[in-house]
Amino acid sequence: MNTASLTAVIASVATAGAASADFVSPDSFGWSRGTDNSFYAEWDFFESPTGGNLPDVGQFPSTLPSGWTTPDVVETSGTSFVTSGGNIYSFSAATEFEVTIPSYGPQNGLRDRSSGTTVLVQARTLGNEMDYESMRIGGFDPVEIVELNRDAVGGTFGGTLVDTLFRFEIPDSRNEYLIEFEAIASSMSLDRLSIDTLTFDTLRIAQSDAVRVFGPVPSPGTATAAAALLAMGGVRRRR
C-alpha cells in the first residue's frame, strides 16, 4: 500500500473511544441483510482454532444452497486455543487467521465475471491489537478502515477492546473469498467477527456513483483521530 492510499485509509478512522455496543449493519453502506446477491455470517463463540467454526450469531442465506462453501474461521499459527469465553487466543505468538466465505460467483447464481463485490469485515479484538495492514482478501487491500469502538480492558492482563470495520471493493465476483489477517503480536484475543458481502452486476457498476453510497457513519473528530494514529504509528506501512 503506497503512502497516498495509506493516508486515505487512515483518514477514514472514526474517533477513538466512540461508544458502540454492536457492529454496524450494511444499511449504513447501501444494502440490507437479505438483499438479493448478499451474504452474511457472524461469529461470537468459536469452537476450535483449527476450524469447523460455523456462524453462531447469524447467517444469510440461513441454509446454504447445495455446492456452496461452508463459512469457517481457522487460526493457522498452530499456537492458539479457545478460551472459556469462546475467543481464539495465543499467549506465545502472533495469531494468523484465514476466513473462508461463499459468495455469488457465476456458479452461485451471478450471470458473469464482470461483476463487483463489496465486502464488509468487522472484527472485535481484546488485549493486543490486530495488524491492521495485514487484512486482505485475495490480494486486495481495504479501501476504508473505520474504528468503531475502543475501550480499555481491565483485569490482570489489561489491553484494549477494539471494534474495527474494513470495507473492500473487489472488481469481480467469485464463488468464495479468503479473508486473511494477523495479530500485531502475541496475546490478541479474537472475540467476534462479522462479514457482509454484496455482489452487483455490470449494470450497477455502470450507473452513477449516487447509486452506491458507501462510507463510515459520520463521526466528529475523525480528522483528529486520524492525525493521532499517524503520530503514534498506529497503522504501519506494509513492507
Side-chain angles (χ1 to χ4, degrees):
M1 188 183 297
N2 60 39
T3 302
S5 61
L6 177 59
T7 302
V9 168
I10 294 174
S12 303
V13 179
T15 305
S20 174
D22 296 302
F23 291 161
V24 301
S25 73
D27 298 80
S28 302
F29 294 82
W31 80 93
S32 299
R33 286 169 184 158
T35 297
D36 288 348
N37 292 346
S38 70
F39 171 78
Y40 159 67
E42 186 166 348
W43 295 260
D44 191 40
F45 193 100
F46 301 98
E47 298 285 349
S48 168
T50 57
N53 293 299
L54 297 177
D56 62 303
V57 176
Q59 177 182 287
F60 177 83
S62 57
T63 300
L64 295 179
S66 176
W68 278 41
T69 298
T70 301
D72 200 3
V73 179
V74 178
E75 198 285 305
T76 61
S77 75
T79 66
S80 64
F81 58 92
V82 173
T83 69
S84 60
N87 296 0
I88 297 178
Y89 175 81
S90 172
F91 58 80
S92 61
T95 44
E96 303 172 356
F97 293 90
E98 294 184 351
V99 184
T100 306
I101 59 166
S103 189
Y104 287 87
Q107 294 180 17
N108 290 348
L110 205 73
R111 291 199 302 268
D112 56 47
R113 290 190 178 275
S114 58
S115 305
T117 304
T118 299
V119 182
L120 305 178
V121 180
Q122 300 181 75
R124 173 173 294 166
T125 61
L126 305 173
N128 277 330
E129 297 187 35
M130 184 189 303
D131 179 354
Y132 298 104
E133 278 212 34
S134 70
M135 177 69 73
R136 306 197 85 189
I137 300 179
F140 290 96
D141 291 311
V143 298
E144 185 171 54
I145 303 174
V146 183
E147 187 173 285
L148 301 172
N149 186 35
R150 175 179 289 268
D151 288 309
V153 176
T156 303
F157 299 102
T160 309
L161 179 153
V162 183
D163 290 343
T164 310
L165 180 148
F166 303 83
R167 175 170 66 92
F168 292 82
E169 297 293 343
I170 299 175
D172 62 24
S173 60
R174 306 176 189 180
N175 293 322
E176 67 176 45
Y177 289 99
L178 179 65
I179 302 166
E180 300 174 281
F181 60 93
E182 303 173 4
I184 200 168
S186 65
S187 302
M188 184 193 86
S189 184
L190 181 64
D191 179 74
R192 186 175 175 187
L193 185 68
S194 174
I195 299 167
D196 288 275
T197 76
L198 177 68
T199 302
F200 44 89
D201 60 23
T202 52
L203 176 62
R204 184 179 173 99
I205 295 173
Q207 291 172 338
S208 70
D209 290 341
V211 174
R212 297 175 58 219
V213 182
F214 298 108
V217 178
S219 174
T222 298
T224 302
L229 275 179
L230 277 171
M232 294 186 297
V235 179
R236 302 181 292 108
R237 183 183 301 178
R238 178 181 298 278
R239 292 188 293 274

